[in-house]
Amino acid sequence: MITRLTPQDASFYRLESSSNPIHIGSLAIVLNTDSGAGAGTPILNYDRLVDLVDARLPLVPRYRRRVREVPLSLGRPVWVEDSRFDITYHIRRSALPAPGTDQQLYELVARLASHPLDQSRPLWEMYLIEGLSEGRCAIFTKSHSALVDGDTALEIGHVILDAGPATRELADDAWIAPREPSDVELLVGALADLAAQPRKALDVARDASASAFAVIGTASKAVDSVVSAVRAAATGAPDSPLNGPTSRSRRFDVVRTDLADYRTIRTRFDCSTNDAILAVVTGALRNWLLSRGEALTESTTLRAVVPMSVYVEGNGGNRLKPAGEVSTFLIDLPVGEPNPVMRLSHIAHATELNGRNQRGVRARTLVHLAGFAPASLHAMSVRAASTFAEHTFNLVITNAPGPQTPMFIGGARMLEMYPVAPLLRNQASSIGITSYDGRVFFGLNADRDAMADIGVLAASVRDSMEEMLGACV
């Protein structure tokens, strides 16, 4: 099957560079013994993971397709079935020196996230990382942003999880690697498209430029710009150590918090869960800036692109579920405000105004399939964030709710899940947030040179949470 990349997919594919890999990362930590933490028989091994992914590939058929360029650039690239598809090339095995520490795991994830994907193959990789302490292992997945749109194509982490220890069975897949089209066939197909629709010639000329403006122009067809965001964009983002050229290397750290704490803040101050999360992030950024000796006044702000899947309360407010759409807006985070309650008030007011003036990107496919939606929602979020010009914001904060009951990979219970959002052009850090099973997990991805103090930001998230909870008393 041959399908042409959409304008936005093509832009993502062409804009990747060695210092800016545009892949979505996802880190899952699972309990991999049948006797709890500690010694026991491993539940999930490499062969079982390969079998599991192979059985679920029919749910994400694009994971068997690679990108082919059209000769002479007479059309956008196309997805073609990979005639030499080898699942063991994409699923890899790694190990920490047992008993591996969490910090060693994060360092390994940072190294893996630093490397671009092989563009001669389907644009994804998965790593089974063994040797983690307390009977755990980790699964780190990388999927190119061109591969996953959350609508017609999901992230593979969305489909390999089950709601119970028993692995759900799917119908046998009779996929056979087909013959790939020749360059001549691709060229003839592109010429036929141009002859049938002459206006496409303008698209070809625009796509060939491969500029950042192509992302903005084409993605606007999928994401409505917010009136307030346009006004904010006209002034440009404030100066910040979060912006500047990035290197080829990354750092990664995480933070674990309790969902109940955000509900406490929500109840006490009559705000949304999203507002409470953003207030904690704002306090953390404030503390991080102060640790760097940055001069802050009460009017100092950082501008964030905030694509998030809205948290919908259900069953009396005791459960969260995704709303099936991603809403995107620019928001000025009041990092200069010393009072945590005032910071929350500013954020709640700003998100309320943005909520009236923007529309979300509907995730039609997500709401029809079982699985762990945040992986695909974070992919959608990065695509939505790319619709803003780079000079208009300081960082990206993606936020997607997950199920509040345990999920399993090949029978092994998932304990934690961290998004690893890519760094967009001239962005030194990105913050990905996911709730799961009563916890809220932060994945902090950062440039290795610009953010040597990523651990300070992680500690600042915890300090900011304590400050917000103290204000609730």
Side-chain angles (χ1 to χ4, degrees):
M1 179 180 180
I2 301 175
T3 56
R4 203 165 300 283
L5 272 66
T6 66
Q8 190 182 18
D9 290 344
S11 297
F12 273 121
Y13 179 72
R14 289 170 170 160
L15 285 176
E16 182 169 78
S17 67
S18 59
S19 61
N20 279 98
I22 311 295
H23 52 247
I24 307 297
S26 177
L27 176 65
I29 299 177
V30 303
L31 181 61
N32 199 30
T33 68
D34 53 11
S35 58
T41 304
I43 299 172
L44 187 66
N45 57 30
Y46 177 79
D47 291 337
R48 183 164 186 177
L49 180 61
V50 169
D51 290 342
L52 174 65
V53 174
D54 191 44
R56 302 291 169 87
L57 282 177
L59 298 175
V60 282
R62 194 177 282 182
Y63 276 70
R64 286 194 184 119
R65 298 170 188 163
R66 68 188 188 98
V67 177
R68 288 274 304 277
E69 292 278 3
V70 176
L72 306 179
S73 298
L74 288 179
R76 293 191 302 273
V78 295
W79 297 107
V80 300
E81 301 286 341
D82 185 10
S83 61
R84 56 180 182 142
F85 180 75
D86 177 5
I87 194 171
T88 60
Y89 175 85
H90 296 276
I91 303 180
R92 306 173 182 186
R93 191 175 188 177
S94 187
L96 302 172
T101 66
D102 288 2
Q103 204 57 48
Q104 289 173 323
L105 173 64
Y106 307 150
E107 182 64 28
L108 176 58
V109 168
R111 290 201 300 271
L112 296 176
S114 300
H115 301 298
L117 294 160
D118 181 354
Q119 294 196 346
S120 70
R121 304 266 189 168
L123 297 171
W124 66 281
E125 294 171 358
M126 181 179 290
Y127 295 83
L128 175 64
I129 304 171
E130 300 170 306
L132 201 55
S133 63
E134 299 178 351
R136 300 170 299 157
C137 72
I139 297 173
F140 177 59
T141 306
K142 295 162 54 176
S143 299
H144 200 284
S145 294
L147 185 69
V148 182
D149 61 16
D151 189 1
T152 59
L154 302 176
E155 202 270 349
I156 198 166
H158 189 122
V159 300
I160 65 171
L161 281 109
D162 297 299
T167 303
R168 55 195 162 104
E169 298 294 331
L170 299 178
D172 290 339
D173 179 27
W175 185 83
I176 299 175
R179 181 186 70 84
E180 290 192 24
S182 66
D183 285 348
V184 171
E185 289 172 314
L186 293 179
L187 183 58
V188 169
L191 291 173
D193 284 349
L194 292 176
Q197 301 182 55
R199 290 184 180 180
K200 282 191 174 181
L202 297 176
D203 294 331
V204 170
R206 183 174 62 247
D207 292 340
S209 66
S211 68
F213 294 102
V215 178
I216 302 164
T218 57
S220 64
K221 300 174 184 177
V223 183
D224 289 322
S225 296
V226 215
V227 173
S228 58
V230 173
R231 288 198 300 264
T235 62
D239 290 336
S240 162
L242 289 170
N243 304 107
T246 55
S247 69
R248 298 185 179 188
S249 300
R250 300 289 179 261
R251 296 182 188 272
F252 182 70
D253 210 337
V254 310
V255 183
R256 308 170 188 84
T257 58
D258 292 322
L259 182 58
D261 290 339
Y262 298 98
R263 289 181 172 139
T264 297
I265 297 169
R266 182 196 69 197
T267 301
R268 173 64 178 81
F269 297 107
D270 191 27
C271 63
S272 71
T273 303
N274 286 324
D275 294 339
I277 291 174
L278 283 178
V280 169
V281 171
T282 302
L285 290 169
R286 169 183 167 81
N287 293 338
W288 173 75
L289 288 169
L290 289 173
S291 75
R292 285 195 160 205
E294 294 288 329
L296 303 181
T297 67
E298 289 192 5
S299 62
T300 302
T301 61
L302 288 177
R303 184 168 299 153
V305 176
V306 185
M308 61 175 65
S309 176
V310 180
Y311 286 78
V312 178
E313 303 291 345
N315 294 344
N318 295 322
R319 298 185 65 185
L320 295 177
K321 61 180 181 179
E325 65 178 29
V326 171
S327 300
T328 310
F329 49 87
L330 287 173
I331 182 171
D332 288 335
L333 304 177
V335 293
E337 173 56 60
N339 187 317
V341 178
M342 290 301 297
R343 288 197 297 266
L344 175 59
S345 177
H346 288 313
I347 289 168
H349 179 67
T351 57
E352 181 181 9
L353 289 178
N354 277 293
R356 294 172 183 168
N357 294 301
Q358 56 82 44
R359 291 171 55 192
V361 181
R362 188 70 182 174
R364 292 174 295 179
T365 307
L366 298 183
V367 298
H368 294 298
L369 286 179
F372 192 67
S376 294
L377 289 169
H378 281 289
M380 291 179 64
S381 295
V382 171
R383 294 168 72 91
S386 73
T387 66
F388 294 92
E390 63 181 77
H391 72 278
T392 62
F393 61 96
N394 299 115
L395 80 162
V396 178
I397 304 172
T398 66
N399 183 6
Q404 298 308 305
T405 55
M407 301 292 287
F408 297 79
I409 304 177
R413 178 173 175 170
M414 185 171 71
L415 303 175
E416 304 168 25
M417 187 274 172
Y418 300 96
V420 187
L423 304 187
L424 299 183
R425 189 179 180 88
N426 291 326
Q427 304 292 310
S429 183
S430 64
I431 301 176
I433 306 167
T434 288
S435 67
Y436 164 65
D437 198 19
R439 309 290 297 279
V440 177
F441 299 104
F442 290 68
L444 310 178
N445 192 22
D447 180 71
R448 191 169 192 86
D449 294 341
M451 292 277 292
D453 54 352
I454 188 65
V456 175
L457 180 58
S460 295
V461 173
R462 292 184 282 269
D463 293 342
S464 179
M465 172 59 80
E466 291 181 6
E467 186 180 28
M468 283 300 310
L469 290 175
C472 292
V473 178

